[in-house]
Amino acid sequence: MDKQQLIDRTAGQTDAAGDGERLAPQDVERVLDALFGTVEHPGVIAEAVRAGETVVLGSFGDFHGADSTAAFRPGKALAAYLQDGTG
């Protein structure tokens, strides 16, 4: 999945209330860029990891620094879903 596919799928799932209102793809892209960064600007996750913080995203997992590189550790729910498809 590339970035545009991620944006489109995410926008399509933002109608949680079922009322037909969802985020526009360009709004989703702005949020993703703010979180993960772009070539020109680091995102808040990169800034936090560089500062020595661990960014925990609930049961999805966490981003942290390891040996001067970024690392991701999946959370229990994501790991279980990937292993046996529960969820």
Side-chain angles (χ1 to χ4, degrees):
M1 175 184 309
D2 67 17
K3 182 179 178 182
Q4 191 59 53
Q5 291 168 321
L6 178 64
I7 289 166
D8 293 340
R9 284 172 125 177
T10 301
Q13 291 196 12
T14 59
D15 182 17
D19 58 7
E21 297 216 14
R22 62 177 221 162
L23 292 175
Q26 58 268 34
D27 294 331
V28 172
E29 182 174 18
R30 287 180 32 218
V31 171
L32 288 176
D33 288 348
L35 284 171
F36 297 102
T38 64
V39 173
E40 297 85 17
H41 304 285
V44 294
I45 292 174
E47 290 171 340
V49 170
R50 185 176 190 187
E53 297 178 62
T54 297
V55 178
V56 180
L57 300 176
S59 61
F60 180 77
D62 66 69
F63 296 91
H64 58 281
D67 301 323
S68 299
T69 63
F72 174 75
R73 179 178 31 239
K76 289 181 181 179
L78 177 60
Y81 177 76
L82 294 175
Q83 288 175 356
D84 60 33
T86 59

